[in-house]
């Protein structure tokens, strides 16, 4: 599927029930009221020359190229700023218009370098196109006068170049930064001829507020703002529509290719999740796919102290299968298992669980969602009946009150954050619940109405206090709650939250949030119109993660904020396919579609399809696998795309468990931390090298399409198929579409999903079946999936992870915009220029008490372990709280996190670790060991058998 250069309609579409009818060049045209003439013409297939207009920005009317004639009017109005009216007769071409347009173009060209043939935008430049479109053949003005031709280039950004000599000051870049991205990093400095585009205060891009989203580069009609990859490799020949493999927003991209080389990733304007926008990661940070660190040959070794030996695919697969079979014979059927990843496609994760259930014959399959959003799955299933967010992203256009809890959208979900900021600039109110001052609290033209700075670990107490205000101040939507929810549970819940011990005043000493602020925020949420809650890992990664998710659902049900646009309960999923990996049956107790393995009917369906008797007993969760390994009963593990040695808590415990296993098979694109303990390495493929689907945070299934051949020779799903065949359980798929057909056969919520429909519609939000053949943007409209919504009691239980004199500070963790999770991909791109190490944020008071200065090395020690980082002194964190990111393995953030976990799902309590921080001048013992292992892991022997 290709879509290079979609039609640009000049101005955004308007939505109106009223249509207006006019004629353009004699052709009758009907458009919604408010539509510009330039768009009406484009929709009728009549292109009008333009430069300053583009259809993702409001019209500006500065270039005067789009002038038209309107019958009965003397002047020549700009068609981009003139709305269509009933009965208008418009002419887009005439000798007079041609003259004026040529004159306008002549002026532009007279201050523009005429180096078209050697310009990197040659053939992809709107200025060049327009010169042709208006028939400009000569320029009467010479270059002798004042001009901008010698303005120096700004090459500070690693991904794009700013060449002001080519700028026509159309301000598309400025408007893109404001309207689309919401960063306001660019301005037009000076007036008239002296106007220039200025990042910040005439600073280089890298020193300005710019977050490198690339919206300005995309908007620029000339070669002024240009991707470095296009400057280096030339303009692309064709494009393939695919889906970003980073975060849960799931942006759609055109991967633009020259020969077999990707030269640019352009956000797809028809992408339903991103509408043509992106962040620095998806747009620019794709070079890791061809990084020299990619391992492209299968490797095996007998012991983890041996060097790796490159072997053929056949030998690697046969060896892995024989080892798993040996282990099962020796230690029993349950001694092996697998962990899949939310980085994988739906088809890959589905096959992983199928391999475990049908080929291994047990249910020892788990996924990294265990350590992020498993409480979402549990909490929402219990209350609403479905383990997924309730809305689509576009729903926010109808939201009046946005509550962001334990999420940092501008860093973690940047494109959705841009939508959010746009809605907030339009006047929606904002409540932020977070121990740390995230950017959203105060950003250009946006300021939170409430920032509830709670103590880490007290979400449940705060949510119940919010509910207390809603109930005791009579702000409940009784009609909604009684009609849509179980009345008994509602009554019980009201009585529970109304108890005096749950009042904001009583809980202030627990949460640290002043009671008046809690009351104000609760009133705003309950009475401010359509209110939507967006939450992240700051809610789930706690010992009461599931309880907090239930508390959020309770609040939404009690205030009637479910079942329509603008409201809802919206988990912001971290990775690209967290939703999908959970949907695909990656948990040890559930088949695809969240159906329990104990359910005989469901299991019967899977047994019939798989041709095998399946184990009715739930298998091991990730932490159980570790414990079983240490007790000698779990011996073999197959991992795809998951780096548990870096991402799971209490690294020492994880690595001890890995060392105790006899066969670890890692399928990945790089030799990651877990591979240091592996016996077989199977080279995986990046998202550019395979076909499949991802499901984003709004349940949207989107196609991932192969852009280049897999460097290792096999797509990941093919590797799993080969392993299953070698294990003696045949799989015969020829293409991932056949895997999706099987998923659809077995999973009621996916029953209507096919690759054909995905090609036609672009994407589908499940449930998609006979009841909802086009998919379901907003869930729970008439009834909840479970029938009646269920209120659940949310008793606050303090975490066992308590501060004391030895560990007086609370460490919490999070992500940063430029890096991504364990950093395996983004660390291998120029994104390191923004973040090349994880630092420990500490409040000035805590730093001063300890004699720590900004940039000093500090030791951070918890009950689990110790690591060393450099300090960043900042008031973003409150006194008593420290914070770090976890993108660099040598930082060892998870050396200090503990094994405390959510009571219901075992999701680790990453967000609360009691620590002490002290000045330090040397790496921790763990870091020394890490260095040593890193050196060892890179040893690869010459191949004994030539790889295929
Ligand atoms: S940099 Fe590009 S988009 Fe910005 S004003 Fe100049 S020509 Fe227009
Ligand atoms: S890259 Fe994005 S943030 Fe930076 S100036 Fe351009 S639009 Fe603004
Ligand atoms: S917002 Fe997420 S999905 Fe979109 S480009 Fe950025 S990382 Fe990719
Ligand atoms: S495109 Fe209309 S004035 Fe520039």
């Amino acid at each position: 599927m290709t879509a290079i250069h979609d039609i640009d309609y000049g101005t955004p579409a308007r939505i109106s029930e009223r249509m207006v009818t006019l004629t353009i060049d004699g052709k009758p045209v009907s458009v919604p009221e408010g539509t510009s003439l330039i768009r009406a013409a484009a929709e009728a297939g009549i292109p009008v020359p333009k430069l300053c207009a583009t259809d993702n920005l409001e019209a500006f009317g500065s270039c005067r190229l789009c002038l038209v004639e309107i019958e009965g009017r003397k002047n020549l109005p700009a068609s981009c700023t003139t709305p269509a009216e009933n009965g208008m007769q418009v002419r887009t071409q005439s000798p007079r218009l041609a003259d004026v347009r040529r004159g306008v173009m002549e002026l532009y060209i007279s201050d523009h370098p005429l180096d078209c043939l050697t310009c990197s935008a040659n053939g992809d430049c709107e200025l060049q196109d327009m010169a042709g479109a208006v028939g400009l053949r000569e320029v009467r003005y010479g270059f002798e006068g004042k001009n901008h031709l010698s303005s120096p280039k700004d090459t500070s950004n690693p991904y794009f170049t700013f060449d002001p000599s080519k700028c026509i000051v159309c301000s598309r870049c400025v408007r893109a930064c404001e309207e689309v991205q919401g960063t306001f990093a660019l301005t037009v400095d000076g007036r008239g001829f002296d106007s220039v585009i200025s990042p910040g205060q005439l600073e280089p891009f890298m020193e300005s507020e710019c977050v490198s989203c690339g919206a300005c580069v995309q908007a620029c009609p000339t070669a002024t703002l240009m991707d470095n990859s296009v400057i280096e490799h030339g303009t692309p020949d064709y494009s393939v529509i695919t889906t970003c493999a980073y975060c849960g927003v799931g942006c759609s991209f055109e991967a633009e290719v020259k020969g077999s080389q990707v030269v640019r990733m352009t956000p797809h304007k028809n992408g339903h999740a991103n509408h043509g926008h992106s962040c620095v990661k998806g747009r620019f940070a794709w070079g890791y796919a061809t990084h020299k660190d990619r391992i492209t040959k299968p490797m095996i070794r007998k012991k983890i102290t041996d060097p790796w030996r490159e072997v053929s695919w056949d030998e690697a697969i046969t060896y892995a299968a024989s080892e798993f079979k040996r282990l099962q014979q020796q230690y029993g059927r349950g001694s092996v298992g697998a962990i899949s990843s939310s980085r994988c496609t739906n088809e890959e994760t589905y096959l992983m669980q199928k391999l475990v259930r049908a080929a291994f014959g047990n249910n020892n399959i788990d996924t990294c969602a265990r350590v992020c959003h498993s409480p979402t799955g549990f909490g929402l299933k219990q209350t609403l009946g479905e383990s997924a967010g309730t809305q689509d992203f576009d729903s926010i256009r109808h939201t009046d009150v946005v509550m962001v809890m334990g999420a940092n959208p501008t860093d973690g979900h940047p494109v959705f954050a841009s939508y959010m900021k746009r809605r907030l600039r339009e006047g929606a109110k904002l409540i932020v619940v977070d121990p740390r001052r995230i950017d959203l609290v105060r950003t250009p033209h946006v300021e939170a109405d409430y920032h509830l700075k709670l103590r880490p670990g007290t979400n449940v107490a705060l949510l119940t206090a919010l509910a207390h205000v809603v109930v005791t101040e009579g702000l409940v939507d009784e009609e909604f709650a009684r009609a849509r929810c179980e009345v008994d549970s509602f009554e019980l819940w009201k009585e529970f939250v109304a108890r005096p011990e749950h009042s904001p005043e009583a809980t202030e000493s627990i949460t640290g949030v002043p009671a008046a602020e809690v009351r104000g925020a609760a009133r705003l949420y309950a009475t401010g119109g359509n209110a939507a809650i967006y939450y992240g890992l700051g809610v789930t990664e706690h010992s009461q993660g599931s309880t907090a998710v239930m508390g959020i659902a309770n609040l939404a049900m009690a205030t009637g904020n479910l079942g329509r646009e603008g409201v809802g309960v919206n988990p912001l999923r971290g990775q690209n396919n967290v939703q999908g990996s959970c949907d695909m049956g990656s948990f040890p107790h559930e088949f695809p579609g969240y159906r329990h393995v104990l359910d005989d009917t469901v299991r019967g369906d899977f047994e019939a399809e798989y041709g095998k008797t399946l184990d009715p007993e739930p298998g091991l969760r990730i932490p159980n696998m570790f414990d079983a390994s240490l007790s000698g009963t779990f011996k073999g593990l197959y991992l795809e795309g998951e780096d548990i040695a870096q991402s799971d808590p209490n690294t020492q415990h994880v690595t001890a468990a890995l060392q105790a296993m006899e066969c670890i098979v890692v399928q990945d694109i790089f030799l990651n931390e877990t591979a240091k303990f592996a016996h077989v390495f199977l080279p995986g493929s990046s998202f550019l090298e395979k076909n499949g689907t991802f499901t984003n945070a709004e349940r949207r299934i989107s196609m991932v399409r192969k852009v280049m051949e897999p460097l290792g020779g096999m797509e990941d799903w093919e590797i799993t198929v080969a392993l299953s065949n070698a294990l003696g359980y045949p799989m015969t798929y020829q293409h991932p579409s056949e895997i999706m057909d099987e998923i659809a056969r077995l999973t009621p919520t996916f029953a209507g999903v096919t690759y054909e429909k995905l090609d036609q519609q672009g994407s589908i939000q499940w449930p998609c079946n006979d009841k909802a053949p086009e998919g379901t943007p907003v869930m729970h409209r008439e009834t909840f999936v479970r029938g009646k919504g269920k209120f659940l009691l949310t008793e606050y239980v303090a975490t066992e992870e308590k501060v004391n004199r030895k560990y007086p500070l609370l460490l919490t963790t999070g992500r940063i915009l430029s890096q991504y999770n364990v950093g395996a991909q983004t660390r291998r791109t120029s994104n390191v220029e923004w973040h090349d190490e994880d630092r420990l944020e500490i409040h000035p008071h805590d730093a001063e008490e300890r004699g720590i200065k900004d940039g000093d090395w500090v030791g951070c020690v918890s009950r689990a372990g110790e690591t060393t980082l450099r300090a960043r002194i900042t008031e973003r964190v409150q006194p008593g709280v420290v914070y770090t990111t976890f993108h660099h393995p040598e930082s060892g953030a998870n050396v200090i996190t503990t094994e405390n976990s959510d009571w219901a799902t075992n999701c680790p309590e990453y967000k609360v670790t009691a620590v002490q921080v002290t000045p330090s001048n040397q790496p921790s013992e763990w870091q020394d060991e890490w260095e040593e292992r890193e050196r060892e892991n890179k040893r690869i022997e010459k191949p004994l058998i030539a790889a295929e």
Side-chain angles (χ1 to χ4, degrees), residues 719-789:
I719 303 171
T720 307
V721 165
L723 184 59
S724 185
N725 287 333
L727 283 163
Y729 179 75
M731 291 189 185
T732 56
Y733 311 98
Q734 299 301 310
H735 189 269
S737 61
E738 295 168 19
I739 307 172
M740 180 55 85
D741 292 343
E742 184 172 313
I743 295 166
R745 276 199 299 281
L746 288 165
T747 317
T749 42
F750 274 66
V753 180
T754 62
Y755 274 34
E756 205 183 351
K757 191 182 273 186
L758 283 164
D759 279 340
Q760 281 161 5
Q761 282 188 213
S763 63
I764 302 170
Q765 286 176 272
W766 66 261
C768 172
N769 44 32
D770 285 348
K771 279 198 218 148
E774 308 289 302
T776 311
V778 174
M779 293 191 80
H780 313 294
R781 276 192 184 272
E782 308 297 326
T783 55
F784 288 107
V785 171
R786 73 183 297 284
K788 296 278 186 186

Side-chain angles (χ1 to χ4, degrees), residues 556-763:
M557 287 189 290
T559 53
N561 277 310
L562 282 162
R564 62 180 189 279
E565 277 84 10
V567 297
V569 172
N570 305 285
L572 293 174
R573 306 294 192 143
Q575 302 194 73
N576 52 330
N577 202 31
V578 179
Q579 182 67 54
S581 71
C582 299
D583 301 341
M584 291 300 105
S586 302
F587 290 126
H589 65 294
E590 279 172 344
F591 287 118
Y594 305 98
R595 288 159 307 151
H596 208 285
V597 292
L598 278 170
D599 184 322
D600 291 340
T601 313
V602 174
R603 204 175 58 259
D605 292 345
F606 278 84
E607 287 178 340
E609 180 76 39
Y610 292 2
K612 287 277 278 196
T613 303
L614 301 179
D615 189 349
E617 284 304 312
L620 298 175
R621 296 172 173 183
I622 294 171
N624 307 133
M625 291 180 191
F626 298 153
D627 293 342
S629 169
L630 289 169
S631 65
T633 55
F634 189 79
K635 293 289 184 182
L637 186 58
Y638 171 34
L639 299 116
E640 182 182 340
E642 185 54 12
D643 190 5
I644 49 177
Q646 189 182 344
S647 61
D648 283 37
N650 194 351
T651 308
Q652 303 85 307
H653 181 71
V654 177
T655 54
L658 290 173
Q659 276 166 318
M661 292 184 209
E662 292 181 21
C663 178
I664 294 177
V665 177
V666 166
Q667 183 172 321
D668 212 303
I669 59 176
F670 298 114
L671 268 178
N672 58 21
E673 294 301 301
T674 310
K676 291 174 180 169
F677 305 91
H679 306 83
V680 180
F681 185 88
L682 303 174
S685 43
S686 76
F687 80 113
L688 293 171
E689 298 155 55
K690 58 190 173 191
N691 291 302
T693 55
F694 292 150
T695 306
N696 76 352
E698 35 162 21
R699 294 170 278 105
R700 185 182 299 287
I701 309 160
S702 302
M703 295 291 300
V704 179
R705 294 187 179 87
K706 197 198 286 195
V707 179
M708 55 196 230
E709 288 306 313
L711 299 188
M714 283 173 96
E715 296 183 38
D716 287 285
W717 66 271
E718 292 176 303
I719 303 171
T720 307
V721 165
L723 184 59
S724 185
N725 287 333
L727 283 163
Y729 179 75
M731 291 189 185
T732 56
Y733 311 98
Q734 299 301 310
H735 189 269
S737 61
E738 295 168 19
I739 307 172
M740 180 55 85
D741 292 343
E742 184 172 313
I743 295 166
R745 276 199 299 281
L746 288 165
T747 317
T749 42
F750 274 66
V753 180
T754 62
Y755 274 34
E756 205 183 351
K757 191 182 273 186
L758 283 164
D759 279 340
Q760 281 161 5
Q761 282 188 213
S763 63

Side-chain angles (χ1 to χ4, degrees), residues 315-432:
E315 184 175 349
I317 296 279
T318 307
Y319 180 74
S322 68
E323 278 295 276
F324 284 131
K325 284 198 252 182
R326 174 183 70 81
L327 292 173
Q328 288 195 294
Q329 268 166 13
Q330 203 172 331
Y331 301 102
R333 200 176 57 178
S335 62
V336 299
I339 299 176
S340 65
S341 165
S342 300
R343 321 306 326 277
C344 305
T345 63
N346 286 317
E347 293 73 8
E348 289 158 8
T349 46
Y350 174 83
L351 284 195
M352 288 284 280
Q353 65 85 36
K354 182 173 181 179
L355 178 142
V356 168
R357 298 188 208 279
F360 285 168
N362 63 42
N363 287 313
N364 293 337
I365 174 72
D366 210 350
T367 174
C368 59
R370 165 78 49 221
V371 301
C372 70
H373 266 289
S374 49
T376 288
F378 183 78
L380 296 186
K381 181 96 179 170
Q382 299 294 310
T383 48
L384 311 180
E386 190 57 272
S387 301
T390 61
Q391 313 294 123
D392 61 356
F393 291 144
D394 285 350
S395 163
I396 194 141
R397 294 179 184 170
H398 306 275
T399 300
D400 303 304
V401 180
V402 178
M403 186 189 291
V404 177
M405 183 166 190
N408 185 2
T410 53
D411 284 63
H413 303 84
V415 164
F416 180 62
S418 291
Y419 301 165
M420 202 178 247
K421 288 192 286 185
R422 180 187 285 221
R423 185 66 194 143
L424 293 166
R425 290 197 303 276
E426 287 169 356
K429 304 288 184 198
L430 174 64
I431 301 165
V432 172

